[in-house]
Amino acid sequence: NLAFTGPGAWALQDATVINSTITLTNGTLSANAQPMTLAGGWANTNGTFVVGGSTLTLVGSTTTAQKINNPASQPFAVLLDSNTSSGGVLFASSITVANLTVNSALIGNTTLYFNAGSSYTITNLNLTGASGQIVTLRSNTGVAWKLNNTTTENVSYVDVQLSNASFGNTIYASNSHDSGNNTHWNFGLFTWNGNSDTTWSNPLNWN
């Protein structure tokens, strides 16, 4: 495990691969625009994470969920989920992300769990699956998780349950499955007409 427990400051100088869990309980970690690859959990409980535009790629491969816990006030720049394990990824706290990307069309079935009742502010949401290669979104209990998509979305071949997206844009999920108890999600086949403007998330631009 990689642990930052003292009151100092650290800055990455190169691309970093972490094969276990990273823990930040004190001090400041600056990603310094360096890409990070993480196979274990992320536990920022009392430290400061400065993203600096870096990409964090999740590559967990065990039957236990890859747990991500980070203060919403310390945003991620790019989260790239490449975890295709049966355990999936668990976002265990409210988080803020500029770009969340999952491409199951390239890597296979992917499952993301969200902490019940927590809020997820995502500027650009990119969830791309394919036939037989689905992105599955679930609450970790029987209570809905809150989604605030503020700018763009590209969502296809997803299976969603217990998601409340009423805090931001309505999510248009093509070739997707509604597993129930979703708010401000629209499932189906959509055709772009651009009748209103050039805003992807504007429902008036879609048939």
Side-chain angles (χ1 to χ4, degrees):
N1 294 338
L2 177 61
F4 298 91
T5 59
W10 300 269
L12 301 182
Q13 301 301 310
D14 298 288
T16 302
V17 177
I18 304 163
N19 290 320
S20 56
T21 294
I22 182 170
T23 303
L24 181 59
T25 58
N26 200 351
T28 299
L29 172 63
S30 174
N32 202 27
Q34 298 295 334
M36 305 175 68
T37 301
L38 180 66
W42 178 286
N44 179 2
T45 56
N46 200 37
T48 299
F49 175 62
V50 181
V51 65
S54 69
T55 296
L56 176 63
T57 301
L58 307 176
V59 294
S61 58
T62 70
T63 56
T64 302
Q66 187 174 6
K67 187 176 180 180
I68 308 299
N69 189 340
N70 194 71
S73 59
Q74 300 176 29
F76 292 106
V78 179
L79 271 180
L80 178 61
D81 181 12
S82 295
N83 182 325
T84 59
S85 70
S86 59
V89 172
L90 167 61
F91 294 111
S93 63
S94 296
I95 62 171
T96 302
V97 187
N99 294 281
L100 175 62
T101 297
V102 182
N103 193 341
S104 288
L106 293 178
I107 62 176
N109 292 320
T110 307
T111 303
L112 289 79
Y113 297 96
F114 298 85
N115 190 52
S118 290
S119 299
Y120 299 88
T121 300
I122 302 170
T123 305
N124 302 299
L125 179 65
N126 301 290
L127 307 175
T128 306
S131 179
Q133 295 175 290
I134 304 300
V135 182
T136 300
L137 310 180
R138 291 289 187 270
S139 170
N140 64 340
T141 68
V143 177
W145 52 281
K146 303 171 184 177
L147 174 59
N148 177 14
N149 171 232
T150 61
T151 305
T152 68
E153 59 184 87
N154 180 18
V155 180
S156 63
Y157 291 95
V158 299
D159 183 329
V160 189
Q161 187 178 56
L162 283 168
S163 175
N164 183 355
S166 63
F167 302 90
N169 297 329
T170 297
I171 307 300
Y172 290 83
S174 63
N175 298 295
S176 296
H177 181 68
D178 179 2
S179 284
N181 297 298
N182 297 302
T183 304
H184 277 233
W185 282 79
N186 197 336
F187 298 86
L189 294 172
F190 309 101
T191 302
W192 173 265
N193 59 45
N195 286 341
S196 179
D197 53 33
T198 59
T199 304
W200 188 263
S201 58
N202 185 346
L204 298 177
N205 289 322
W206 295 90
N207 290 330

Short mmCIF file of all heavy atoms in Angstrom, two decimals, residues 114-118 120 139-145:
data_model
loop_
_atom_site.label_atom_id
_atom_site.label_comp_id
_atom_site.label_asym_id
_atom_site.label_seq_id
_atom_site.Cartn_x
_atom_site.Cartn_y
_atom_site.Cartn_z
N PHE A 114 -22.53 3.13 -6.80
CA PHE A 114 -22.50 4.46 -6.23
C PHE A 114 -23.11 4.42 -4.83
O PHE A 114 -24.11 3.75 -4.60
CB PHE A 114 -23.27 5.44 -7.11
CG PHE A 114 -22.69 5.58 -8.50
CD1 PHE A 114 -23.03 4.68 -9.50
CD2 PHE A 114 -21.80 6.60 -8.79
CE1 PHE A 114 -22.49 4.81 -10.78
CE2 PHE A 114 -21.25 6.73 -10.06
CZ PHE A 114 -21.61 5.84 -11.05
N ASN A 115 -22.51 5.16 -3.92
CA ASN A 115 -22.97 5.16 -2.54
C ASN A 115 -24.38 5.76 -2.44
O ASN A 115 -24.64 6.85 -2.94
CB ASN A 115 -22.00 5.96 -1.67
CG ASN A 115 -22.30 5.78 -0.20
OD1 ASN A 115 -22.40 4.66 0.30
ND2 ASN A 115 -22.44 6.89 0.52
N ALA A 116 -25.27 5.03 -1.82
CA ALA A 116 -26.66 5.46 -1.71
C ALA A 116 -26.76 6.83 -1.04
O ALA A 116 -26.16 7.07 0.01
CB ALA A 116 -27.45 4.44 -0.89
N GLY A 117 -27.49 7.75 -1.68
CA GLY A 117 -27.70 9.08 -1.13
C GLY A 117 -26.59 10.07 -1.40
O GLY A 117 -26.75 11.27 -1.15
N SER A 118 -25.45 9.60 -1.90
CA SER A 118 -24.33 10.51 -2.18
C SER A 118 -24.54 11.21 -3.52
O SER A 118 -25.33 10.77 -4.36
CB SER A 118 -23.00 9.74 -2.20
OG SER A 118 -22.66 9.32 -0.90
N TYR A 120 -22.97 12.93 -7.09
CA TYR A 120 -21.89 12.77 -8.05
C TYR A 120 -22.02 13.85 -9.12
O TYR A 120 -22.93 13.81 -9.95
CB TYR A 120 -21.94 11.36 -8.66
CG TYR A 120 -21.75 10.32 -7.57
CD1 TYR A 120 -22.84 9.83 -6.86
CD2 TYR A 120 -20.48 9.91 -7.21
CE1 TYR A 120 -22.67 8.93 -5.83
CE2 TYR A 120 -20.29 9.00 -6.18
CZ TYR A 120 -21.39 8.52 -5.49
OH TYR A 120 -21.20 7.64 -4.46
N SER A 139 -26.83 1.44 -7.30
CA SER A 139 -26.63 1.91 -5.94
C SER A 139 -26.07 0.75 -5.12
O SER A 139 -26.32 -0.41 -5.43
CB SER A 139 -27.96 2.36 -5.34
OG SER A 139 -27.84 2.61 -3.96
N ASN A 140 -25.30 1.09 -4.07
CA ASN A 140 -24.76 0.00 -3.24
C ASN A 140 -25.77 -0.51 -2.22
O ASN A 140 -25.52 -1.52 -1.55
CB ASN A 140 -23.46 0.42 -2.55
CG ASN A 140 -23.65 1.55 -1.56
OD1 ASN A 140 -24.64 2.28 -1.60
ND2 ASN A 140 -22.68 1.73 -0.67
N THR A 141 -26.91 0.18 -2.08
CA THR A 141 -28.01 -0.31 -1.24
C THR A 141 -29.31 0.01 -1.97
O THR A 141 -29.31 0.30 -3.15
CB THR A 141 -28.00 0.34 0.16
OG1 THR A 141 -28.32 1.73 0.03
CG2 THR A 141 -26.66 0.18 0.85
N GLY A 142 -30.41 0.00 -1.26
CA GLY A 142 -31.70 0.22 -1.88
C GLY A 142 -32.13 1.66 -1.97
O GLY A 142 -33.32 1.94 -2.15
N VAL A 143 -31.21 2.61 -1.83
CA VAL A 143 -31.52 4.04 -1.90
C VAL A 143 -30.83 4.65 -3.12
O VAL A 143 -29.70 4.28 -3.45
CB VAL A 143 -31.06 4.76 -0.61
CG1 VAL A 143 -31.30 6.26 -0.71
CG2 VAL A 143 -31.76 4.17 0.61
N ALA A 144 -31.49 5.58 -3.78
CA ALA A 144 -30.96 6.17 -5.01
C ALA A 144 -29.70 6.99 -4.76
O ALA A 144 -29.53 7.61 -3.70
CB ALA A 144 -32.01 7.05 -5.67
N TRP A 145 -28.82 7.00 -5.75
CA TRP A 145 -27.66 7.89 -5.75
C TRP A 145 -27.98 9.08 -6.65
O TRP A 145 -28.79 9.00 -7.56
CB TRP A 145 -26.40 7.16 -6.23
CG TRP A 145 -26.51 6.44 -7.53
CD1 TRP A 145 -27.09 5.22 -7.76
CD2 TRP A 145 -26.04 6.88 -8.80
NE1 TRP A 145 -27.00 4.87 -9.08
CE2 TRP A 145 -26.37 5.87 -9.76
CE3 TRP A 145 -25.35 8.02 -9.25
CZ2 TRP A 145 -26.03 5.99 -11.11
CZ3 TRP A 145 -25.03 8.13 -10.58
CH2 TRP A 145 -25.35 7.12 -11.50
#
